[in-house]
Amino acid sequence: MTFGDLVLTPLWDGSFKLDGGAMFGVVPKPLWEKRAPADDRNRIRMGLRPLLVQGEKTMLIDAGIGGKMDAKSTDIYAIDRARNIDHSLADAGLSRESVDIVLATHLHFDHAGGFTSRDSAGNLSPAFPRSRYVVRTAEWDDAAHPNERNRASYLKENFVPLADAGVLDLVAGDASIMANVRVVRTGGHTRHHQIVVIESGNETAVFVADLIPTAAHLDEAWIMGYDLYPMETLAFKRAFLREAIEREYLIFFEHDPEIAAGYIREVNGRKQVERVI
Ligand SMILES: [Zn+2]
């Protein structure tokens, strides 16, 4: 879709499944399963939707789960990449070589898995050969020094090879990444999780990553059990939702299985998404 001077294209790196209870934190299953039905292993289906931004440069925000998962993880997470980021780049008339910048919201495997690829000899290299990779400095530090709680989400194979290859740009704070694109720290999900704000003319689009992973997470208290600092998520989300509704931000959902983007509307006190894509 055209968005002011830019073209925004939600890509698709397949789907995966996560435990429904973990995805909705303190919300009881009888409530969440009406919005996100669970399979026989209590998992809900989620999309993997990196966002392509074509403007001053060609930027990719997150890169999906990638193709490096072993058989055990592929089964646990029900990863289905029959259609993946290579197909959706081709649909947009592009390839991996077209991407100038890969921007990370954070370094969990379902966002950074596609940053690197492994060849048949087992060597890891950047998956976007011409690209610089932009990561928030403090998120990098946390990912490189995981603890018992976040170790399973930060897989070194997804990001250490970027530093080794010399294609990593660490950026501190809420910075402009290219014309029309800036990042804003939310904290909450990880200590330095960030969303991406895209502005052109007087329109604003926001890639919200794991702040609001799906359209089923619009209610303030519907916060993932995965979040390290849920009260921080709550505070940011409450203020952000008010702003997004008032100023009619176009919201890009990274994990919704059906809705790639839409406007958040409040109708009779209930928040809902008016789907655009
Ligand atoms: Zn995620």
Side-chain angles (χ1 to χ4, degrees):
M1 67 178 296
T2 45
F3 186 79
D5 301 332
L6 310 171
V7 178
L8 305 181
T9 312
L11 305 182
W12 178 257
D13 195 45
S15 63
F16 73 130
K17 291 182 175 181
L18 289 175
D19 184 88
M23 278 305 296
F24 293 105
V26 298
V27 179
K29 185 172 181 182
L31 298 183
W32 63 251
E33 72 177 346
K34 289 185 203 153
R35 299 186 192 175
D39 71 4
D40 57 357
R41 290 158 78 177
N42 207 47
R43 301 173 301 182
I44 64 165
R45 183 169 176 269
M46 317 218 312
L48 293 155
R49 303 180 187 278
L51 180 65
L52 187 76
V53 183
Q54 292 170 277
E56 178 193 10
K57 292 179 177 175
T58 297
M59 170 186 283
L60 184 63
I61 305 173
D62 290 349
I65 206 162
K68 301 192 302 300
M69 288 297 214
D70 62 17
K72 184 181 172 194
S73 295
T74 300
D75 173 60
I76 289 175
Y77 299 117
I79 298 167
D80 177 359
R81 297 181 70 248
R83 280 195 61 77
N84 58 52
I85 196 166
D86 289 311
H87 302 112
S88 47
L89 280 169
D91 290 346
L94 301 173
S95 70
R96 288 168 179 272
E97 281 75 22
S98 316
V99 178
D100 302 306
I101 300 171
V102 177
L103 170 63
T105 60
H106 62 304
L107 291 172
H108 283 173
F109 66 78
D110 53 320
H111 302 254
F115 286 5
T116 63
S117 48
R118 185 187 282 121
D119 66 19
S120 50
N123 301 310
L124 294 161
S125 58
F128 297 86
R130 285 187 42 254
S131 191
R132 301 294 301 177
Y133 287 74
V134 178
V135 181
R136 196 177 183 96
T137 311
E139 172 69 14
W140 179 275
D141 292 340
D142 282 352
H145 303 96
N147 55 46
E148 293 83 351
R149 175 80 198 277
N150 62 20
R151 195 180 303 278
S153 299
Y154 284 134
L155 309 181
K156 289 198 161 48
E157 61 188 28
N158 294 333
F159 51 88
V160 170
L162 307 175
D164 294 345
V167 296
L168 177 68
D169 292 327
L170 293 176
V171 173
D174 290 349
S176 170
I177 307 300
M178 71 175 191
N180 308 84
V181 179
R182 61 189 172 87
V183 293
V184 176
R185 175 183 173 274
T186 69
H189 181 62
T190 69
R191 190 155 38 151
H192 298 283
H193 176 273
Q194 60 189 5
I195 56 176
V196 185
V197 179
I198 302 159
E199 291 155 317
S200 190
N202 46 18
E203 287 184 289
T204 300
V206 185
F207 185 83
V208 292
D210 281 343
L211 175 68
I212 308 172
T214 78
H217 288 85
L218 293 183
D219 289 319
E220 281 83 351
W222 291 50
I223 290 171
M224 290 190 276
Y226 297 108
D227 285 18
L228 295 179
Y229 308 97
M231 293 306 291
E232 230 178 77
T233 306
L234 176 61
F236 193 96
K237 188 176 171 183
R238 186 191 287 133
F240 177 80
L241 281 168
R242 202 175 307 130
E243 192 181 307
I245 293 167
E246 276 170 18
R247 301 190 195 167
E248 300 193 297
Y249 293 165
L250 178 61
I251 304 297
F252 283 83
F253 297 100
E254 189 164 12
H255 289 314
D256 195 282
E258 310 296 338
I259 301 174
Y263 295 97
I264 302 174
R265 309 282 188 205
E266 197 151 29
V267 182
N268 301 324
R270 272 194 62 121
K271 293 180 191 70
Q272 50 188 243
V273 175
E274 179 190 318
R275 182 181 182 165
V276 173
I277 315 172

